Amino acid sequence: MVSVNVENEKARSGNILEFHNITKRFPGVTALNNVTFSVRSGCVHCIVGENGAGKSTLMKIINGMYKADEGEMVFDGKPWNPTGSAKAREGGIAMVHQELNIIPMMTIAQNLFLGREIKRRGSITMDDREMREQTRALMREYGLDFDPDQKMSELSIAEAQQIEILKCLSCNAKAILMDEPTSSLTEKEIGFLFDSIRKMRSQGITIIYISHKLEEIFEIGEYISVFRDGQHIETRPVSGFTKASMIEMMVGREMKEIYPPRTPKLGEVALRVEGFTRKGVFENITFEVRAGEILGIAGLVGAGRTEIARSIIALDPHDSGKVYRDGKEIAIHNVNQAIENGIAMISEDRRKYGLVLVRGIRENTSLVALSHLYNSKVLNLRKERELAERMKEALSIKAPNLEVPAKNLSGGNQQKVVLAKWMAVSPKVLIMDEPTRGIDVGTKYEIYKLMNQMTSQGIAIIMINSDMEELLGMSDRICVIHAGRLAGELSREEAKPASVMELATGTGGRP
């Protein structure tokens, strides 16, 4: 054990990865501009920056998915220029992507050894038994207890991510890249991830970690590199940063506040949901939201928050309950009827449900408006472009033109396009499910200001949120869901982390 620690300390004394003048260009944008810095061996090195700062582009260059236009990399003392992720793994660098790369209908063991299957001695056939045994041994080491023959499709996102991490470890990686690994995880699952990272670090493995959640950076990181507009700004030990100094370095300006001040002027009840029930999912949900108000919806993952919202707009069915708009009962049997009644919803998964990624800003912005604003069967391209231009300017969407495909935009600008799509139909009630997930702090502030502008215009916002700080910072009132039931309601003054969590976990609070 002593010899391992000595070896690890020796490894930590030098750099495992160096970047010298790395530049990467795409049509119309320089994603990385003359980036130079280094990563020490055996540490947790965090990379932070706004969406579009170049973080993920750098990860893809390290992993061999992109090739730098200029500059060079050095890994473990040798030039590093992999021709793909498989070659990168062979060379000692593996990556856990935000969007997991799994084959759902294959087993855990098959996914773990995909592309490097173990074969029987003297045969070309796979040794399934040996792969299962090695999978079990690796899972035991990291405290996991899955059946190696279980299909990946049967696992949750968090469980699938755990298998992805095991895949990196099984190929004896010296460095593991993690891009937003906690974006879909619960607190318990994040705890498992951090324990795994600490264990990997103790074994001398280097972790390069990207996250927009600054509290995670300070908890798990040892060194931090700040990126802005494709440039490396500075690298320091974590102790050299405060949260405020890091944010200011990321956005290039002083940030005096994380949440813009709210002075809500509440109007009449815009939406009332009464006795909403879907058997086995949620029961007897009753709440209301006023014009100009932000109503936060809190609860643990799986409590039923999103399911309630989807049922309100008829994406999912419900068994009983009523919906009132401006005091009048309305019947909603499909999403179009919800929109006609002034109710819209922004999904938590913008890439899957909110955007047509291969289409441009113009088409994505007008997608809903086409059938709800224009009565003609012939599309008026001039009006469509005027609408998209107006929304692009109003929401400060950063792109060279309206035809840029949504897939090429940063996460923050993608979210703005989703918001533009729904604002184009002038909703009176807007449901926002995890509105800033995967968005950097600078763009979050812009989204918060947009939310304040909407409520100042009399729009009622229902905000489903797992980020406690954001929930408390933006909500005028909070309803807490526990196990499919409304556990309680808290005013802005009553809402504190402890009081919200007591209701969310069913351990206290008032009925």
Side-chain angles (χ1 to χ4, degrees), residues 98-229:
Q98 184 177 1
E99 306 293 334
L100 298 179
N101 293 323
I102 61 172
I103 310 297
M105 297 314 296
M106 293 178 70
T107 68
I108 291 174
Q110 288 168 342
N111 270 272
L112 209 61
F113 288 93
L114 190 64
R116 51 190 185 88
E117 292 80 3
I118 299 173
K119 294 182 173 59
R120 298 179 188 277
R121 185 175 298 177
S123 172
I124 61 171
T125 61
M126 290 187 294
D127 192 339
D128 290 322
R129 182 175 179 179
E130 180 62 23
M131 288 192 289
R132 285 195 296 268
E133 288 304 312
Q134 288 195 26
T135 299
R136 286 192 184 95
L138 196 58
M139 287 195 292
R140 279 196 301 270
E141 183 179 353
Y142 279 83
L144 298 179
D145 186 23
F146 298 114
D147 180 352
D149 289 324
Q150 187 175 0
K151 295 283 183 65
M152 291 295 293
S153 59
E154 299 171 3
L155 303 182
S156 68
I157 292 176
E159 291 168 340
Q161 186 192 69
Q162 292 168 3
I163 301 304
E164 283 286 278
I165 293 171
L166 283 184
K167 185 190 293 185
C168 296
L169 295 170
S170 68
C171 64
N172 297 315
K174 295 179 182 179
I176 297 178
L177 318 177
M178 295 187 176
D179 191 356
E180 295 286 352
T182 65
S183 60
S184 301
L185 303 188
T186 65
E187 290 298 320
K188 181 179 179 181
E189 292 159 347
I190 291 172
F192 171 86
L193 174 65
F194 285 1
D195 287 344
S196 299
I197 288 174
R198 293 185 183 102
K199 184 167 185 176
M200 288 184 274
R201 174 186 172 277
S202 72
Q203 296 170 342
I205 298 172
T206 303
I207 307 295
I208 302 178
Y209 189 96
I210 294 178
S211 179
H212 289 307
K213 300 178 181 179
L214 300 190
E215 63 276 9
E216 292 180 2
I217 299 298
F218 283 100
E219 179 176 350
I220 201 70
E222 295 174 84
Y223 289 87
I224 299 173
S225 290
V226 179
F227 277 58
R228 184 175 71 241
D229 297 330

Side-chain angles (χ1 to χ4, degrees), residues 484-504:
R485 291 176 176 270
L486 182 61
E489 180 185 304
L490 300 168
S491 67
R492 189 177 182 91
E493 294 70 32
E494 294 173 320
K496 301 289 186 294
S499 58
V500 173
M501 287 307 297
E502 282 182 350
L503 290 170

Side-chain angles (χ1 to χ4, degrees), residues 278-403:
R278 183 181 176 190
K279 292 178 182 177
V281 182
F282 52 83
E283 185 174 348
N284 196 29
I285 300 295
T286 297
F287 67 87
E288 61 186 30
V289 58
R290 294 179 174 275
E293 181 181 29
I294 296 179
L295 174 67
I297 305 293
L300 302 179
V301 173
R305 300 167 303 167
T306 297
E307 289 79 1
I308 293 167
R310 287 175 59 91
S311 290
I312 291 171
I313 64 169
L315 269 174
D316 293 337
H318 68 280
D319 299 311
S320 60
K322 298 178 180 180
V323 177
Y324 297 86
R325 266 280 291 116
D326 293 336
K328 297 179 181 179
E329 184 179 353
I330 58 174
I332 301 176
H333 300 295
N334 55 57
V335 175
N336 282 326
Q337 287 182 343
I339 296 168
E340 289 163 5
N341 281 285
I343 306 170
M345 178 176 173
I346 295 177
S347 168
E348 63 179 325
D349 191 336
R350 59 180 172 267
R351 293 177 66 86
K352 188 173 182 180
Y353 298 113
L355 296 165
V356 181
L357 292 170
V358 296
R359 296 294 184 179
I361 296 170
R362 172 179 56 83
E363 289 180 282
N364 272 283
T365 300
S366 65
L367 203 57
V368 178
L370 291 180
S371 60
H372 290 276
L373 290 186
Y374 308 125
N375 296 320
S376 173
K377 293 182 179 181
V378 178
L379 176 61
N380 188 318
L381 293 176
R382 180 181 59 80
K383 287 185 177 180
E384 182 192 35
R385 178 168 290 278
E386 288 174 354
L387 172 69
E389 286 281 11
R390 189 166 66 250
M391 288 297 159
K392 180 176 182 288
E393 182 178 350
L395 275 67
S396 301
I397 299 170
K398 296 176 183 177
N401 58 67
L402 292 173
E403 306 308 317

Side-chain angles (χ1 to χ4, degrees), residues 66-77:
Y66 292 159
K67 181 176 176 59
D69 296 320
E70 298 171 17
E72 62 179 18
M73 294 181 290
V74 176
F75 174 62
D76 205 18

